[in-house]
Each structure stands twice: as structure tokens, then as C-alpha cells.
Amino acid sequence: MRHCRWTSLPGVTSMVSAGAMSASGNLMDFLDEPFPDVGTYEDFHTIDWLREKSRDTDRHRKITSKSKESIWEFIKSLLDAWSGWVVMLLIGLLAGTLAGVIDLAVDWMTDLKEGVCLSAFWYSHEQCCWTSNETTFEDRDKCPLWQKWSELLLSQSEGASAYILNYLMYILWALLFAFLAVSLVRVFAPYACGSGIPEIKTILSGFIIRGYLGKWTLLIKTVTLVLVVSSGLSLGKEGPLVHVACCCGNFFSSLFSKYSKNEGKRREVLSAAAAAGVSVAFGAPIGGVLFSLEEVSYYFPLKTLWRSFFAALVAAFTLRSINPFGNSRLVLFYVEYHTPWYMAELFPFILLGVFGGLWGTLFTRCNIAWCRRRKTTRLGKYPVLEVIVVTAITAIIAYPNPYTRQSTSELISELFNDCGALESSQLCDYINDPNMTRPVDDIPDRPAGVGVYTAMWQLALALIFKIVITIFTFGMKIPSGLFIPSMAVGAMAGRMVGIGVEQLAYHHHDWIIFRNWCRPGADCVTPGLYAMVGAAACLGGVTRMTVSLVVIMFELTGGLEYIVPLMAAAVTSKWVADAFGKEGIYEAHIHLNGYPFLDVKDEFTHRTLATDVMRPRRGEPPLSVLTQDSMTVEDVETLIKETDYNGFPVVVSRDSERLIGFAQRRELILAIKNARQRQEGIVSNSIMYFTEEPPELPANSPHPLKLRRILNLSPFTVTDHTPMETVVDIFRKLGLRQCLVTRSGRLLGIITKKDVLRHMAQMANQDPESIMFN
């Protein structure tokens, strides 16, 4: 039995290609050129990948044939071929520039909460002290040019009144930044909120969300991203930078007709733009390409892989040229460890992987429960108030603890760092042996001092605070990324575990587990490495990334030789998290919002058939169809008015129900409208026909309307006994909008993408209506 086949009809002209109407051919005989808006899609609808592919093939064939006619046409064909690379170049340049500007602005505004530079108020704390000649090694972060608010307003740097004033200024600046951000988003660009990755994934799967990648969204998201990160909220800028880069991709693709008129081709550009976004977010061009391939892209041909690599390269080069961190590196977290890892350390690394998986599960479930509550209660009506309250709580609790007061990126950088002789962090307050004569880069393990123990309990409090506050922060009506908070949670847990193992090895070096690799006076445990592994584990637990995560982490830190620990932690965290549920945070938010997204990772193993899912079902009205030569314009207009279907099957007659093709609703409306305006004699009782030759009509009949050119003569069909497992696979891999169900060439029903999603939800004992977009 054939489970699926292409419906083919004799006499189809070469003007119509398999899978779609010709993009280059005229859509109605009486028009010299296609009418406007044909081939476009309405908002919140799914594109037809097969048709878009076919239209691009026709366009390319036409350009190739014309290129042989003249030199000018040949040059135009070359320009068309190179337009993709030009778009990638422009995306990389703009994404890298915006990322650099965001990094510099965040650095300045974060420091503004604590003080101001007297020589130039636009300098951050670090930039201000660069120019000072009065800084010393011990107090290299202090200089007369930089004054805290208490020094500026009260002329006091110590004491209760100075502390209270600094505390109040910290809270007021945080509230001001957060209020400005949520107000801008609410008034000018509602789509600028969130991380954007769930929506990007949905858009790349073929869903249309007009304005989500628009110019206003790009502008507001860039500005508000600086504000919310500077406010000190538990969120990051890395996820939203993917959205920003995709906005850049959408803008530049609209300048070239090759992409602006083909939604399928546009999505190839957006896939590459997502890679550029991760490239500038983490300084990881290869990781960006793999992230786009593994996590966000739906259709990723080899050509897109090369172009993604080029866009990520240009973006990374642009960011490196701007040098926002002032360290000649692409990222803030670059580390250089001087000690190899040992096989026995795999056990704590795997334990960190377990912690990451448990954290990912806890966060996803709690955050989705809170977001659902926000959607279904009065809480959702006051997004500005919610942001203000969460910001106030965050600032009030964060200020007293030095590890929550500083920006999350600086916290992660401090946790990743190895303790060298030049480090002044509390985490490096070890008791030194005065007789030590080792070189600087090989400092042995030492007993922890008071500062380390103080840092440990402060980190423990910071960890609990971060875990709780991030649940309530992610999903508010502001730009909010999840990469950095997740990494911070893992880095804090990892650093504490690393210090624990280090001290255990120091005090019990005669234990059998330490005897072979941790002799007295040796530098054998690197706590910063544990922080790095913990960060990877927690990020993997939340997002369920694996390959791209490991590559991003070693590009992010430069720790190439620590790939095995990172892999062990990433795989363990994914296994543990998957044991409690297959959904990562982005898939969970896609389902929460009801986006029609068919995840390639989901498995469908139920024994149902196409006939169990197709519409109409028993007891429902018959399928709304068009006949090939017996319906009037008025009949079709009435059918369109009374239904909201995206298209209608065309059959020979209602008696035979033999399938001819499929007509899209939007194109029917446009065709009738244009025919009434431009063709004389078309009235309500004009016969509409989809055949090659017009039907025989009485002499006094009005002019008929021929619409065969808008008809898809090869709609995808399956038989009623096709297993739904096969149907689901077809929808995923071909990106179909709908599939017609037939038996022996006779039309029985239709299966749409939403029908498939409803059925999958039903089989998983979920509410079928939960997949409806809201």
C-alpha cells in the first residue's frame, strides 16, 4: 500500500511546478504581471515550505536562462548569487557593533549605581582609574577621579550614613533603569520582551509573527537590554542578543527581493543571524554556528552552514575590533589554568552535572508555573508594577552581599579565575607559606584563610538568592536572557565544590584517592575549573544543549584541554534533566504560549491513523470544497465569508469528490478582488473555473473567471490508512501547512499542522487547545 503519493494530473503545463504555483508565471490570464501581495502570508499563519522552495527554484531557473542573453543579465545573475554573502557581511557588522555598544553601555551604567567619574561622567569605574596616576597595586580599583555617591554628596566614604546613602542610590538607580525599560517595551515594542529564543525557534519553523523582527523591536530591545542588565536584575543579555541579531537579519534581507519575497529563503538568513548573535554574545563563532544548528534552526542546509560561519566570523571580528572589555579578548571570562585535571576529579564533575540537571528541572517547572499564573490571574495586568517590585526586592537583597551586588558577568569572571599571586579577591585569601619559592604560575594548594570561609557563606547565600529570584525574573515584560543567570548558579555551586575538594586534598593528601596526584606542596586542584564545569552543567540543564554548549564554554574561557570534564557534566545534566521531562526552558515557553511548533526531538509512537485525525470527523459538517467549473464568484465569496479556513480543496464535482488541487484562501480573495477591478464582465454570477478550457456556457452568460494559475495542482496527499507516525514525520521534514487525505483518488478530509499538534497533545494527555496561539 502506498502511504503517500503526489497527486498528478494530465495536461499540467510547464508554467506550474510541483509543490507550488510558479512565482514567475502570471496568476491570471487577463493580467500582464502578478497582482500585489500574492504569495505572502497573513499574520500568525504558517508558511508552506514546499511552495517557497518551488518558487525559489523557478526564480533561479529564470535568472540562469536570462543570464545567457546579455552581459547585463549575466552581471545581474552574479549579483543575485553574491547577495547572500553581502547580507551575511552586513548582519555580522551590525550585530558586532550593537553588541560592542551594549557591552560598553552596560559597563558604564552598572557602575553608575555606585558612583561617578569626575573627569568624564561617561567613563566606567575601570576606565576612570586607567587614566589616574595615583592608583597603587593594593588599591588599583580606587582612585581620586572615581567617587562613590556618599563621597560626592556627603564627603564621606565610610560610616553608617555613607553606607545608607550608597544603598539608597543603588536601589533608586536600579528602579529607574527597570522602570524606563518596562515603559519603553510596553509603549513602543511589546515584542521586545523576553529572551526571544522561543519565538525565534517558532519563526524559523515557518510561523509568521509580523513585527517580531521589526526595526522598532530592534531599537527598543537594544536600548532596554542595556537598562535591564544595568539594573542588576537576575538576567543576561546573551539570549536577547540572538533576537537582536535576527532583527538585523530580517532588516537586511528585506533589502533584497531574493529574500524579502520568499519566506523560506528569509529563514535561512535568520538561521545565520542567530549564529552571529551567539558569536557576539559569548565570543564563540563556532559555538554560535552549532547553537543555531542544534537549538534554534528548523531547516539548515549546507549552504546555510557556510554562511552562518561567515556571519559569525564577521560579527566576532567586529566585536574584537571594538574591544569592549579592554583586554584584547572577545569575552570577559577568559581564563588560563596551569594545572591539568585528574581522572579522580570526574566524580565531582559528574556530581555537578547532576546538580545542573536538577536545577534545570526545578527552574523550568517553577518558572512555567509562575508564568502560567501570570497569564491566568490579575498579576498579568500589571507588568510595570511586577517589574518594579521584583527590581526593588532584587536591589534590596543584593546590595549587602558583594557577590550579588556586582554584575553577574563580573561574578562569573571572578568565580572562573584561578588564584594567582596578583589576585586580590576574597576567594584567594589563602594562608601563604613564607618559605614558598615557587614561580608565580605554580602556587601550591594552601589552607583556606578567613576570607575564603567568609566568601563561602556569602556564595551560599548568593546561590540561594539567585536560584529563587531568577525563577520570578525570567518571563517578565522586559528583555531577559537566561544564559548568564544559569551559568552564575552553576559557577557558584562549582566554586564551592572546588574549594571543598581543594581543602580536602590539602588536609588529607595521604588518602588513597589523593595519594597518586596530590602530593604536599603541589598545585593539584583548580577551584575555577569546577566553577566552569558547574556553569556548563546548569546551562545545559536549563536549555538541554550538549555539543554547542561544550564548544561555547571552551571558546568562552579558552580552556581547550578541559573539554572532557565539560562533556561529562553537560551529558550528565541532560540525562538527569531528561529523566524528569524532555522539555528545555525554550520548548516549555513555546508550549506555554501555544505556538504551533513541531519539535524534531519529540517522538510519536502511538498507533493511530490519518483517518483518526483528519477533518471532518463523524458527526461534523462535510468538508468545504470548491468545484472545478460549477461555482459562481458569489458562491466562492460566500464560502470565504462563512469560514475561516486557510484554503479549500478543489474537486471535479461534489458527486465524484475526485481531487484536482488546492486553492489558498488569501489568493482566492486577491484574485477575485483584482478580477472585479481590472476585468470587464466579471460579476457575482460569473462562473469560476479551474480547468484548462472554460465550460460551455449559454450565449447570454457573464464572462467566466479563470483561476487555474492560482491552483496548486500537486497538493501533498496521504491515504486514510497512513500511520500518524508517518504523517507527523512528513509534517516535520517537509514543513507542510496541510495534507489532504484521499482514498482511491477521492477526497476524504484534510489534516492541518494544528490538527497534528492537537492530536499529539491529546496522546500525551494534555489539553488539545493548549497548542492554540495566544
Side-chain angles (χ1 to χ4, degrees), residues 66 122 215 259 297 470:
K66 275 192 169 185
W122 58 86
K215 291 185 279 292
Y259 299 107
S297 292
T470 306

Side-chain angles (χ1 to χ4, degrees), residues 8 14 57 96 117-118 178 229 288 315 387 460-461 553 604 635 652 694 723 758:
S8 58
S14 60
T57 304
C117 186
L118 298 181
V229 175
V387 170
L461 291 175
M553 287 304 297
F604 186 86
D635 294 336
V652 174
R758 281 195 192 96

Side-chain angles (χ1 to χ4, degrees), residues 435-725:
N435 298 321
M436 185 180 72
T437 57
R438 289 176 173 273
V440 168
D441 64 347
D442 191 21
I443 295 172
D445 288 345
R446 298 152 290 165
V450 177
V452 173
Y453 287 111
T454 305
M456 287 285 276
W457 72 259
Q458 287 178 338
L459 276 178
L461 291 175
L463 176 62
I464 295 167
F465 171 65
K466 276 284 182 189
I467 285 174
V468 174
I469 204 69
T470 306
I471 290 168
F472 296 98
T473 305
F474 187 71
M476 293 196 300
K477 298 298 181 187
I478 48 174
S480 52
L482 195 57
F483 285 12
I484 289 296
S486 299
M487 288 175 66
V489 167
M492 285 188 279
R495 186 74 185 209
M496 288 191 288
V497 170
I499 292 172
V501 172
E502 179 191 48
Q503 293 305 301
L504 199 64
Y506 177 81
H507 292 291
H508 302 281
H509 55 79
D510 55 341
W511 284 9
I512 191 167
I513 192 171
F514 299 122
R515 198 180 300 157
N516 295 330
W517 56 278
C518 209
R519 294 177 301 279
D523 178 20
C524 55
V525 177
T526 308
L529 172 60
Y530 286 75
M532 191 167 89
V533 171
C538 283
L539 184 54
V542 171
T543 61
R544 309 298 163 84
M545 295 191 299
T546 50
V547 181
S548 56
L549 170 65
V550 172
V551 175
I552 285 171
M553 287 304 297
F554 87 69
E555 284 190 280
L556 183 67
T557 58
L560 189 60
E561 65 181 292
Y562 302 106
I563 284 183
V564 173
L566 290 171
M567 289 173 71
V571 169
T572 305
S573 91
K574 179 172 171 59
W575 282 344
V576 171
D578 282 351
F580 294 96
K582 296 288 185 184
E583 283 186 339
I585 187 66
Y586 300 131
E587 289 78 16
H589 271 272
I590 285 171
H591 291 151
L592 176 69
N593 291 323
Y595 298 132
F597 180 74
L598 266 174
D599 198 341
V600 180
K601 300 169 192 168
D602 290 342
E603 294 180 4
F604 186 86
T605 55
H606 304 281
R607 295 194 165 199
T608 50
L609 302 175
T611 189
D612 302 321
V613 182
M614 72 177 191
R615 301 291 181 97
R617 295 179 185 157
R618 288 178 186 174
E620 290 183 350
L623 198 64
S624 297
V625 297
L626 304 176
T627 55
Q628 68 174 358
D629 58 6
S630 61
M631 293 182 75
T632 64
V633 170
E634 186 178 18
D635 294 336
V636 176
E637 286 178 329
T638 304
L639 183 63
I640 290 170
K641 197 176 294 182
E642 292 175 352
T643 62
D644 58 356
Y645 305 131
N646 288 331
F648 304 93
V650 179
V651 296
V652 174
S653 67
R654 293 189 184 277
D655 296 330
S656 75
E657 292 284 335
R658 191 163 66 83
L659 184 64
I660 299 294
F662 192 85
Q664 297 286 348
R665 173 195 186 89
R666 181 176 176 79
E667 287 168 13
L668 277 171
I669 294 170
L670 289 169
I672 293 171
K673 179 183 174 184
N674 276 270
R676 283 185 179 278
Q677 290 174 352
R678 303 189 191 184
Q679 187 180 13
E680 293 182 8
I682 299 297
V683 292
S684 294
N685 60 342
S686 294
I687 295 292
M688 187 180 290
Y689 70 100
F690 296 93
T691 55
E692 280 293 325
E693 299 297 330
E696 293 183 7
L697 300 172
N700 58 350
S701 296
H703 288 197
L705 175 59
K706 181 180 180 181
L707 292 182
R708 187 174 177 83
R709 296 277 175 82
I710 70 163
L711 185 63
N712 179 4
L713 290 165
S714 54
F716 206 96
T717 62
V718 295
T719 67
D720 54 336
H721 283 85
T722 304
M724 272 308 294
E725 188 178 357

